[in-house]
């Protein structure tokens, strides 16, 4: 459904720690658009172009973060333009935005930020905050965390409304190797939910955390109850986190 590309040599080199990805995943997931794939790539036009093309063949939307500034290594716009087979052009809306924030006599390095893939849409910016740049189903966001974060709710509002995901968890005082085969069969018989199993370390009471996720809270509740019954039949200690929407709303269970 949706994929994310984090762009920046500084991320890959370890000079800068990425702060955007966890926030983006959490906010998109809350809206029902849990990312299906994430890639972190460097500042290279051919690489950006190829990555955008590959992801758009598999997903409905691609969101990029980073590489939209005024320096020589800010190449996201050029890479996305190449992915769509178009050139760059000075976008009048972006020129007005930059003029309002940087003055009417824009230096060349500032003007280059207005060079967008031909046919792009500039969304927002009238409030003085950096706008969202959209080329069809590819959205380009700034890499600075404070500039990116207020864009996500606005971007989500542009997408078709989906049912949010619901999550539950069951904690057990048993190692996952003891029930892995049974859990595999449970997943095969309930393809409408996603079941995960993860070791719990440094906890005095529990050894494994099982997660159950789906857009249908009743399906999540049903599978959670089956896991609880199985564990209690084994006389294992169980603690359950009832289904909660990623929008933060409990089902009341």
């Amino acid at each position: 459904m949706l994929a994310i590309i984090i762009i920046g040599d500084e991320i890959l080199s370890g000079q800068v720690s990425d702060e955007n990805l966890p926030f983006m995943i959490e906010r998109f997931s809350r809206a029902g658009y849990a990312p299906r794939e994430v890639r972190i790539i460097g500042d290279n036009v051919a690489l950006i172009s190829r990555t955008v093309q590959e992801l758009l063949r598999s997903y409905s939307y691609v969101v990029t973060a980073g590489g939209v500034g005024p320096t020589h290594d800010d190449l996201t716009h050029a890479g996305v333009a190449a992915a769509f087979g178009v050139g760059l052009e000075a976008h009048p809306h972006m020129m007005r935005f930059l003029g309002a924030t940087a003055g009417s006599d824009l230096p060349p390095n500032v003007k280059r930020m207005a060079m967008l893939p031909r046919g792009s849409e500039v969304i927002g910016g009238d409030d003085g905050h950096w706008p969202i740049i959209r080329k069809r189903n590819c959205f380009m966001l700034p890499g600075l965390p404070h500039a990116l974060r207020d864009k996500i709710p606005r971007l989500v509002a542009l997408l078709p409304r989906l049912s949010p995901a619901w999550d539950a968890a069951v904690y057990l005082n048993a190692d996952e190797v003891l029930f892995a085969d049974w859990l595999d069969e449970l997943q095969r018989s309930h393809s409408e939910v996603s079941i995960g199993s993860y070791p719990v370390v440094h906890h005095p009471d529990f050894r494994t955390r099982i997660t159950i996720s789906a857009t249908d809270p009743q399906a999540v509740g049903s599978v959670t109850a089956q896991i609880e019954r199985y564990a209690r039949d084994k006389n294992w200690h169980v603690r359950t986190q009832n289904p909660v929407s990623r929008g933060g709303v409990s089902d009341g269970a």
Side-chain angles (χ1 to χ4, degrees):
M1 182 68 71
L2 182 145
I4 294 172
I5 308 173
I6 304 295
I7 300 172
D9 289 342
E10 69 278 12
I11 303 296
L12 291 173
S13 67
Q15 297 179 52
V16 175
S17 296
D18 173 68
E19 299 178 20
N20 291 324
L21 189 55
F23 180 85
M24 296 172 76
I25 290 173
E26 190 273 331
R27 292 305 172 95
F28 282 127
S29 297
R30 182 185 294 185
Y33 283 92
R36 300 300 186 188
E37 188 170 346
V38 172
R39 298 195 192 180
I40 302 176
I41 63 174
D43 298 300
N44 179 281
V45 172
L47 178 58
I48 295 169
S49 174
R50 183 171 69 250
T51 304
V52 170
Q53 288 178 330
E54 289 174 357
L55 293 177
L56 284 176
R57 283 195 288 267
S58 300
Y59 306 104
S60 301
Y61 303 100
V62 168
V63 181
T64 72
V68 299
T71 60
H72 68 282
D73 57 349
D74 288 308
L75 301 172
T76 296
H77 293 161
V80 172
F84 284 96
V86 300
L88 294 171
E89 64 180 4
H91 196 288
H93 187 151
M94 198 65 179
M95 289 291 288
R96 288 194 299 272
F97 168 77
L98 293 170
T101 56
S104 57
D105 187 16
L106 298 177
N109 65 326
V110 175
K111 287 182 179 178
R112 69 177 289 164
M113 292 190 289
M115 299 298 293
L116 307 182
R118 186 175 297 114
S120 293
E121 180 182 3
V122 176
I123 302 166
D126 297 333
D127 56 1
H129 293 94
W130 192 271
I132 297 170
I133 311 300
R134 178 177 189 172
K135 174 60 179 175
R136 297 185 195 169
N137 47 351
C138 179
F139 297 87
M140 291 156 271
L141 303 180
L144 291 175
H146 73 272
L148 176 140
R149 293 191 174 196
D150 68 341
K151 306 293 175 296
I152 303 301
R154 190 163 196 169
L155 195 162
V156 166
L158 299 171
L159 304 178
R161 187 175 179 85
L162 297 179
S163 299
W166 290 73
D167 301 303
V170 179
Y171 294 83
L172 306 176
N173 68 334
D175 290 321
E176 56 187 351
V177 67
L178 298 176
F179 56 85
D181 291 342
W182 178 83
L183 201 64
D184 287 346
E185 180 58 35
L186 184 67
Q187 178 66 89
R188 283 193 292 269
S189 61
H190 292 279
S191 59
E192 73 278 11
V193 304
S194 175
I195 302 173
S197 178
Y198 311 97
V200 175
V201 296
H202 307 308
H203 194 286
D205 299 321
F206 300 105
R207 306 293 296 275
T208 304
R209 174 175 175 257
I210 301 173
T211 61
I212 309 95
S213 302
T215 56
D216 181 355
Q218 292 184 336
V220 173
S222 174
V223 171
T224 300
Q226 291 182 61
I227 296 171
E228 288 179 304
R229 287 195 298 270
Y230 177 85
R232 291 197 169 101
D233 287 344
K234 298 288 187 180
N235 293 317
W236 294 337
H237 183 39
V238 180
R239 188 177 76 189
T240 300
Q241 173 191 306
N242 289 328
V244 174
S245 165
R246 291 185 190 173
V249 181
S250 171
D251 72 342

